[in-house]
Amino acid sequence: MMLKLNSFTATDNKTVPTHIIRRRSAISHHYELFYREPLNPVHAEGAWITDANGRKYLDAYNNVVSVGHGNQRVIDAMATQAKTICTHTRYINDELCRLSERLAAKHAGYNDWRSIFTCSGSEANDLAMRIAMQFTGGNGFIVTDHAYHGLTALTQAITTSMAGYLELSRRLGLEVVVIPSPVGKGEGDSFIENLRGAIYEMQSKGMRLAGGIFDSFFTSDGLGLTPKGFLEEAVTLLHDNDALYIADEVQPGFGRSGSYFWGFQTHGADPDIITMGKPMGNGYPMAAIMFKALLDDYIMDSYFNTFGGNNVAVAVGHAVLDEIEERNLLENARIQGDKLFLALDQLKKSYVNISSIRGSGMSIAVDVVTDDGAPNAEGALRIVEAMKQRGVIISTSGLMGNTLKIRPLLIYTNEETTFFIEQIQSAVRTVF
Ligand SMILES: Cc1ncc(COP(=O)(O)O)c(C=O)c1O
């Protein structure tokens, strides 16, 4: 399962350090730790994390702080607003409306869209699912086979990358049909065929479809981006069958693609509901859902979220957008992402064990295979460990666990990009 791919287990170490023993007794065993020798980060600035021993690591994994660890503008906005007033959405707050308008303006067709602010991507997806169920009268959802959509009851029931989702979906009375992700074999055209098949399966079993929910980049599935445009067809297909299209932008949103603000824009697709989170607050817990105005009538009763959309969240949300816009971070992500992609593509040409590079901007996947071309999860993990030894943080993902998950921050400089490239070349050379 996804979170266990690059995780610490006690058997990895002869003696278990005291802070891990303490962790085990203090917090739930269901919290995972990355790496065979877990990291103890104590400070971070820009794109760099420092551990308790003073060792620095280039962060090429953490997609929340995408405008930089300790971003000064975000911190100032947070502190100034906290000192001024922090209440909730039941009082007038023009800045809250302005944030919603700014987000809607990120795509031409969105002037009649509305937002609801939450604290996590899970809450946003949960609400999106409930709107889709109310609107369609259905309880069926189509998802891909290694997706991650959250950990509320509803969202965990469609999170196929974690064990137990089917059992949970049955208990909740949801109908979940799983299709192959558009990574590798399920790519592009066959994705649409699989989606058509899933809709047919639901209808022939008498199930009523509420919607398709997809991460626009299929990030946890291992990043499926090609051919451009296939999601537009998916939206049409769902609409033709009276279902909604929910674009989970929790990972691809906020400029990660380097070309567009939202991931689905790379496909020219027009979803009915967009959910967002992670980089939205650069570490401040905030997320949101945006939807077509007509769907506003399908939310049960009033909506209130104690922390979602509070004044501090709103101030932080504006600061993050200011950073992205004023520092041209989309363009930076595209330029630095292209350099990374090119260098990785060179590696692929030199090593049979690197079979595929997929990516857009600061979201890149590298498939690692055996000499015979079979998925090589162990090889991928060895590269992750070798990168850590060289001072770079990445991880793995994908159905077979053999995909390197590389998500650099949008603020990378030329020097940081070059450092990453040198280290991955050296890591792959050592492992293969
Ligand atoms: C695509 C996607 N959707 C939803 C979520 C859930 O977001 P959160 O952890 O903020 O609840 C995640 C978290 O990793 C995610 O990657």
Side-chain angles (χ1 to χ4, degrees), residues 41-50 57-75 282-283 323 327 393 407-412:
V42 291
H43 183 257
E45 201 176 334
W48 295 85
I49 290 179
T50 310
Y57 299 86
L58 178 66
D59 191 352
Y61 180 76
N62 289 289
N63 57 353
V64 169
V65 284
S66 68
V67 299
H69 289 277
N71 180 292
Q72 199 58 51
R73 191 198 303 244
V74 175
I75 290 168
N282 207 55
E323 280 291 88
R327 292 174 65 186
I393 295 175
R407 300 181 303 205
L409 280 54
L410 306 190
I411 55 160
Y412 263 31

Side-chain angles (χ1 to χ4, degrees), residues 3-50:
L3 297 174
K4 299 198 194 301
L5 294 176
N6 169 27
S7 61
F8 166 83
T9 43
T11 48
D12 287 336
N13 285 32
K14 287 198 181 73
T15 49
V16 179
T18 46
H19 52 258
I20 291 180
I21 294 171
R22 180 182 188 182
R23 187 179 160 100
R24 285 207 190 122
S25 68
I27 63 174
S28 166
H29 290 197
H30 293 269
Y31 280 107
E32 299 280 345
L33 266 174
F34 274 160
Y35 292 117
R36 286 174 184 164
E37 296 288 340
L39 202 64
N40 186 3
V42 291
H43 183 257
E45 201 176 334
W48 295 85
I49 290 179
T50 310

Side-chain angles (χ1 to χ4, degrees), residues 119-123 125 148-151 215 219-220 248 250-252 278:
C119 306
S120 69
S122 302
E123 273 181 283
N125 280 334
Y148 188 91
H149 294 297
L151 285 178
D215 169 331
T219 319
S220 299
D248 183 338
V250 170
Q251 293 219 38
K278 287 196 187 274

Side-chain angles (χ1 to χ4, degrees), residues 306-341:
T306 302
F307 304 114
N310 76 24
N311 308 66
V312 174
V314 169
V316 165
H318 281 295
V320 169
L321 289 180
D322 291 341
E323 280 291 88
I324 293 174
E325 290 165 10
E326 290 174 27
R327 292 174 65 186
N328 272 332
L329 291 182
L330 251 72
E331 188 172 328
N332 191 58
R334 184 180 55 75
I335 293 169
Q336 304 301 337
D338 283 353
K339 285 187 206 163
L340 292 167
F341 192 92

